[in-house]
Amino acid sequence: MFDAPIEDWYVWLGVAAVSVAVLGVAVGLPTAAPPDAAAVADTVDRVAASPPGSMATVDLRASTVRIDRARIGLRGEGGTTHAVIAFGPMTPASTDGRLERVAAGDHPRDVFDSPAAFADAAATARNRSTSWRPAPETLTVRRVSWEGVDVLLVG
């Protein structure tokens, strides 16, 4: 009595429209999970709260990364995620080759002329405008202290 006859054209049109909508939603879903920026921020916070000389690495599993003083952004197939660190400020080491060497394990005295030069390079790196850059497979986090200059290098 209240059923629509299956022969009516508008029933088939409605079924087709719903099918196309469901297909559109299924195709639009990401095929991978978003990168885990929170895990990276936790690693940074753990090193920042540790004594000077502490170092850690973390897998990124992202295509691009953005690091500024207090925030990490990761972008991958599954989307973009951001996380704020609790301790800091972070110093992006990838903006200066000398800072990259220190982040990799060199002592600052082997790379810089003085603690003041180290502090200046770190301040310049922190204050530089950040942008998305290709992400390495792993990110290195190192807390360095040299004659009163305490720097949290991330790169």
Side-chain angles (χ1 to χ4, degrees):
M1 173 168 180
F2 294 110
D3 293 333
I6 199 71
E7 298 87 26
D8 287 341
W9 63 271
Y10 54 85
V11 172
W12 291 109
L13 185 63
V15 169
V18 168
S19 297
V20 168
V22 168
L23 178 66
V25 168
V27 169
L29 293 175
T31 58
D36 192 2
V40 176
D42 289 343
T43 301
V44 171
D45 285 338
R46 189 174 62 249
V47 172
S50 298
S54 300
M55 186 176 186
T57 58
V58 61
D59 291 335
L60 287 185
R61 296 190 178 114
S63 57
T64 57
V65 63
R66 184 177 187 166
I67 301 169
D68 61 28
R69 295 174 58 93
R71 193 168 127 158
I72 295 172
L74 299 176
R75 188 183 294 162
E77 285 183 31
T80 303
T81 59
H82 297 278
V84 177
I85 63 162
F87 303 100
M90 290 186 293
T91 302
S94 62
T95 60
D96 183 326
R98 298 173 303 167
L99 291 175
E100 282 183 312
R101 287 180 50 197
V102 174
D106 287 355
H107 193 283
R109 84 167 84 74
D110 298 334
V111 181
F112 293 95
D113 294 332
S114 67
F118 179 49
D120 288 343
T124 300
R126 275 192 304 271
N127 294 326
R128 186 172 285 146
S129 177
T130 60
S131 61
W132 291 98
R133 63 178 177 86
E137 289 184 22
T138 59
L139 193 71
T140 301
V141 183
R142 183 175 181 208
R143 184 168 172 213
V144 180
S145 185
W146 182 35
E147 295 185 17
V149 179
D150 195 14
V151 178
L152 178 62
L153 294 170
V154 180

